[in-house]
Amino acid sequence: MCSTDRLPITDEQLKEITPAFESSEVAQALLLLRTDTGARLAEITRLEAKDVDLEKAVLHIRPNDRRGLKTKTSTRSIPLSQRSTECLRQHQVGLADNDPVFPAYAKPRGNESASAMLMKRLRTVVTDKKITMHSLRRRMKDKLRNTGCPENLSMAILGHSANTVAANYGAGYALDGMREALVKVWA
């Protein structure tokens, strides 16, 4: 399926699918983190404990021992909602810095296994082939757009490239600005 054939998941669909994820703490966590950050599945499944700053409620998407990233602009820090922070706090108990947050999926082809597990749950409720787990990223893009988030800030949150030299100048958006945009989405 071409990525342009995908649709964003609606708020109603998200509410409908959530119970299908509740029988697994990991499925529930992956759904929540993808919903609240808009991050790619591989960016979440291959997180290491050191990528999560619970004190500042920030998720650092960066290359680590388990994964590279899709593009240079994929390297970013994303503010976490309170519920995402608490979820990650539960998944980090007893982990050393280099330990994977989701060990079952932090291995070769683990992302494919996670995707299959999540899609199986999604398909118990939503049968429209244009709605996939990637639709959560499209949902985040729409939510940011519809709350008045500037396009460049939205691109920074999602790790998209503006493909201009000027867009790469500076250190990027401050976490406070990103958090302000995301709070409107989380509300």
Side-chain angles (χ1 to χ4, degrees), residues 107-143:
K107 57 187 175 188
R109 303 188 68 104
N111 188 51
E112 293 170 25
S113 298
S115 180
M117 179 270 295
L118 295 169
M119 282 302 298
K120 184 176 178 181
R121 291 168 188 280
L122 175 77
R123 287 288 173 246
T124 64
V125 181
V126 178
T127 57
D128 184 344
K129 300 287 186 212
K130 292 183 178 184
I131 302 293
T132 66
M133 290 305 297
H134 192 76
S135 295
L136 291 168
R137 267 179 75 74
R138 290 178 179 256
R139 176 184 183 273
M140 178 59 80
K141 181 68 175 183
D142 277 353
K143 290 284 194 179

Side-chain angles (χ1 to χ4, degrees), residues 27-159:
Q28 201 171 15
L30 294 176
L31 176 66
L32 171 62
L33 293 170
R34 298 216 48 226
T35 298
D36 283 3
T37 66
R40 295 173 182 95
L41 182 59
E43 293 172 341
I44 299 296
T45 57
R46 301 239 175 127
L47 285 172
E48 293 180 345
K50 67 184 173 198
D51 297 326
V52 181
D53 184 337
L54 295 172
E55 187 176 311
K56 293 181 182 172
V58 174
L59 186 65
H60 299 289
I61 305 293
R62 57 193 174 199
N64 63 29
D65 293 339
R66 294 175 184 354
R67 65 144 155 60
L69 294 176
K70 187 173 180 179
T71 65
K72 182 180 177 182
T73 56
S74 295
T75 300
R76 63 203 187 279
S77 294
I78 306 172
L80 291 168
S81 65
Q82 183 177 352
R83 67 184 190 160
S84 291
T85 303
E86 289 309 313
C87 172
L88 284 167
R89 186 179 316 282
Q90 293 173 10
H91 284 275
Q92 292 221 163
V93 174
L95 296 183
D97 280 353
N98 291 336
D99 288 345
V101 176
F102 301 104
Y105 301 112
K107 57 187 175 188
R109 303 188 68 104
N111 188 51
E112 293 170 25
S113 298
S115 180
M117 179 270 295
L118 295 169
M119 282 302 298
K120 184 176 178 181
R121 291 168 188 280
L122 175 77
R123 287 288 173 246
T124 64
V125 181
V126 178
T127 57
D128 184 344
K129 300 287 186 212
K130 292 183 178 184
I131 302 293
T132 66
M133 290 305 297
H134 192 76
S135 295
L136 291 168
R137 267 179 75 74
R138 290 178 179 256
R139 176 184 183 273
M140 178 59 80
K141 181 68 175 183
D142 277 353
K143 290 284 194 179
L144 290 166
R145 183 182 295 126
N146 293 328
T147 58
C149 179
E151 179 65 14
N152 284 344
L153 178 55
S154 170
M155 293 172 76
I157 291 168
L158 293 170

Side-chain angles (χ1 to χ4, degrees), residues 153-173:
L153 178 55
S154 170
M155 293 172 76
I157 291 168
L158 293 170
H160 288 145
S161 171
N163 290 326
T164 67
V165 173
N168 294 321
Y169 284 8
Y173 283 93

Side-chain angles (χ1 to χ4, degrees), residues 79-81 144 147 176-187:
L80 291 168
S81 65
L144 290 166
T147 58
D176 289 343
M178 296 173 93
R179 185 174 304 282
E180 187 177 311
L182 285 167
V183 164
K184 292 176 184 176
V185 171
W186 300 328

